[in-house]
Amino acid sequence: MEQFKNLYWQVLQFVKTQKKICYYSTDISQIGPFNTDQEAWLSREYYPQVSNIIGENIYAAVIFSEGHFKALVNNYVASDPLPLNDFIHFNYFTDVEEAADWLKLMQKGQDVAFAATS
């Protein structure tokens, strides 16, 4: 868990030094799903920090292996509710190219929305 937290804090430190990064892709097909402690820490501690730093919507494409994705769908069990972090829009994929296409589509949609309000 400590290594998991350290990695995520390092990513957040990088994000602090960059122009607002709002489009992410994370491939967890090799490491498998996060455990409940990791998910809880992300929702309760990490994501609120991300929101404070970035201050706008984030789009995250998460890439699973086929087996992991099928297991999630087939073995879904509702868990205790975690804090709602509605500024993060997750979408789940088993194909890296599809994830990249979705992120491009989301970015294009935002660019159009910004142009329409200018």
Side-chain angles (χ1 to χ4, degrees):
M1 184 67 175
E2 202 58 38
Q3 184 179 15
F4 178 83
K5 288 180 180 180
N6 286 337
L7 178 63
Y8 271 84
W9 287 131
Q10 287 176 23
V11 170
L12 194 57
Q13 293 306 313
F14 173 78
V15 169
K16 284 182 180 180
T17 67
Q18 305 300 309
K19 183 179 176 190
K20 293 184 180 182
I21 301 172
C22 298
Y23 302 91
Y24 295 88
S25 177
T26 183
D27 185 341
I28 61 171
S29 61
Q30 298 298 311
I31 62 171
F34 297 151
N35 65 39
T36 54
D37 289 341
Q38 291 168 324
E39 290 284 353
W41 177 80
L42 286 169
S43 290
R44 292 189 177 109
E45 294 183 41
Y46 186 76
Y47 294 151
Q49 293 291 320
V50 171
S51 179
N52 289 337
I53 290 168
I54 296 179
E56 55 190 84
N57 285 336
I58 295 171
Y59 299 85
V62 181
I63 302 150
F64 295 128
S65 68
E66 284 282 340
H68 178 193
F69 191 80
K70 286 177 184 176
L72 285 174
V73 171
N74 292 331
N75 301 316
Y76 177 78
V77 176
S79 60
D80 292 334
L82 292 171
L84 182 61
N85 295 290
D86 57 358
F87 70 98
I88 303 177
H89 305 278
F90 288 102
N91 204 348
Y92 303 95
F93 301 89
T94 57
D95 182 86
V96 174
E97 290 177 15
E98 288 178 10
D101 288 344
W102 177 77
L103 287 171
K104 288 176 192 171
L105 182 63
M106 293 300 100
Q107 187 171 15
K108 183 177 179 182
Q110 293 302 309
D111 292 344
V112 170
F114 292 139
T117 60
S118 300

